[in-house]
Amino acid sequence: MTDDTWTTIARLHAWLTAHQDLPPEEEILFRVLKLSEEVGEAAQAVIGATGQNPRKGTSHGWDDVRAELCDVVITAMVALRTLTPDAAAVFDAHLRRVADRSLPPEAVGPTTTP
């Protein structure tokens, strides 16, 4: 991820915070609940793209699924930023740990874009 990505996430976090009047512990609660909502929308889009709801048929396309997955990622990043102003470093360190335990050593490379 680029620094621009995390700058945008910080701006979204600031915008959301400015438009709500919640104590910090409730702010993170609602950010995590919003993440659950977005995951549900991604699932709904997959069901719609595959036509698995006989009442609705094919109601979504794979572009809808991709968009919903992006919303999940953005919402998770904003929730992480709500927990810590150092969200980029926390994410990079965690991604490195996951890659180190999951990928063969030759496949583990830099996790950030210079």
Side-chain angles (χ1 to χ4, degrees):
M1 263 176 243
T2 66
D3 289 338
D4 289 343
T5 299
W6 285 105
T7 299
T8 301
I9 294 301
R11 291 176 57 218
L12 287 168
H13 170 263
W15 175 77
L16 285 167
T17 300
H19 288 87
Q20 63 187 22
D21 187 22
L22 295 170
E25 63 277 359
E26 287 184 26
E27 183 179 11
I28 189 57
L29 171 68
F30 285 104
R31 299 276 164 85
V32 172
L33 289 174
K34 180 65 176 171
L35 181 57
S36 297
E37 177 188 11
E38 294 297 342
V39 169
E41 291 175 8
Q44 182 179 19
V46 169
I47 290 167
T50 58
Q52 293 304 303
N53 183 336
R55 186 174 51 83
K56 294 182 180 179
T58 304
S59 58
H60 292 74
W62 290 106
D63 284 343
D64 297 315
V65 175
R66 284 186 278 276
E68 293 299 342
L69 289 173
C70 288
D71 287 348
V72 169
V73 172
I74 293 165
T75 303
M77 292 172 77
V78 171
L80 181 59
R81 172 55 189 85
T82 302
L83 282 171
T84 178
D86 203 16
V90 170
F91 180 82
D92 286 344
H94 187 77
L95 181 59
R96 171 66 56 192
R97 284 191 303 274
V98 170
D100 286 347
R101 74 173 184 245
S102 303
L103 299 174
E106 64 275 6
V108 177
T111 58
T112 59
T113 303

